[in-house]
Amino acid sequence: MVTITLYMNNNIEYISKIKKGEEASFRHFVNSYSKDLFYYAQCFVRSKETAEEVVSDVFLDVWRHREEIDEIKNIKAWLLTLTPVSYTHLRAHETR
């Protein structure tokens, strides 16, 4: 199991709230990063709808694995890394 620590604006309390399942904190997190991820996803997908689906998938994975979050120094870079992985997973499921 990969353990990740998430530092967002050096606010450990904020991250702790996400780890505990506080939806308001997670919504703020999503709102903070979704636009950048959407534009990045559009670089390698063919449609706006697919880019939106990829971004949704990234945040869904983060939410599902929030309790495992332990250490990441650059959250934006981490999310950008997850974006093409989500696209690959979506494509694999579409071809089945």
Side-chain angles (χ1 to χ4, degrees), residues 34-70:
S34 59
K35 185 176 178 181
D36 289 337
L37 291 183
F38 174 75
Y39 289 125
Y40 178 60
Q42 282 191 305
C43 293
F44 53 87
V45 300
R46 296 183 180 159
S47 72
K48 176 183 173 186
E49 292 79 18
T50 303
E52 290 170 346
E53 190 174 353
V54 167
V55 172
S56 293
D57 192 55
V58 168
F59 288 117
L60 182 59
D61 282 346
V62 170
W63 181 254
R64 284 181 182 154
H65 300 285
R66 68 189 176 277
E67 294 170 351
E68 300 167 26
I69 296 173
D70 278 336

Side-chain angles (χ1 to χ4, degrees), residues 70-82:
D70 278 336
E71 186 172 336
I72 284 201
K73 304 246 192 272
N74 186 333
I75 192 65
K76 186 174 179 181
W78 176 62
L79 291 170
L80 292 173
T81 301
L82 294 176

